[in-house]
């Protein structure tokens, strides 16, 4: 055992804190990690759905923006739509990056120093 790691079993094969067999403790840890990993993956799916909705809204803004309003008020409105579309595009990009980060986290759930992972 290296410095900074600890054993979860005593010399007789039971958990030091509960007296339960070490294998049972590891199985429950694995199940908990799998459950947390699944929950984090669900979060990533919800964030991805938000990114998809932002993409759909961006497409709608672009359609409205392309209408040929030539009056000064129409041009001002189109300029405002352009600014909103740019902000929405940045938000969509941030959401897509968040999806990637959450998925990376889902893969790392349960992996802590001293553990080999599940």
């Amino acid at each position: 055992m290296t410095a900074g790691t600890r054993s979860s079993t005593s010399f007789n094969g039971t958990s030091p804190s509960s007296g339960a067999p070490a294998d049972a403790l590891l199985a429950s840890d694995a199940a908990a990690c799998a459950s947390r990993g699944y929950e984090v993956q669900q979060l990533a799916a919800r964030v991805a759905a938000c990114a998809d909705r932002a993409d759909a809204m961006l497409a709608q803004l672009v359609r409205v923006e392309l209408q040929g309003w030539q009056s000064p008020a129409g041009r001002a409105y189109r300029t405002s739509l352009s600014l909103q579309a740019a902000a929405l595009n940045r938000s969509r990009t941030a959401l897509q990056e968040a999806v990637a980060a959450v998925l990376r986290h889902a893969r790392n759930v349960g992996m802590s120093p001293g553990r080999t992972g599940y």
Side-chain angles (χ1 to χ4, degrees), residues 73-92:
R75 285 192 297 275
Y77 183 70
R78 286 176 50 197
T79 299
S80 177
L81 286 177
S82 294
L83 294 172
Q84 295 301 316
L88 186 56
N89 189 35
R90 287 189 301 273
S91 297
R92 180 192 60 175

Side-chain angles (χ1 to χ4, degrees), residues 42-65:
Q42 285 182 316
L43 174 62
R46 289 193 303 267
V47 175
C50 290
D52 290 344
R53 285 195 299 270
D55 196 39
M57 291 303 300
L58 185 60
Q60 288 179 352
L61 276 176
V62 168
R63 280 194 299 275
V64 171
E65 185 182 353

Side-chain angles (χ1 to χ4, degrees), residues 4-58:
T5 61
R6 59 189 167 94
S7 173
S8 63
T9 59
S10 66
F11 289 109
N12 65 2
T14 61
S15 170
S17 60
S18 68
D23 292 340
L25 184 60
L26 292 176
S28 67
D29 285 347
C33 288
S35 175
R36 283 190 297 273
Y38 178 71
E39 289 171 359
V40 175
Q41 287 175 349
Q42 285 182 316
L43 174 62
R46 289 193 303 267
V47 175
C50 290
D52 290 344
R53 285 195 299 270
D55 196 39
M57 291 303 300
L58 185 60

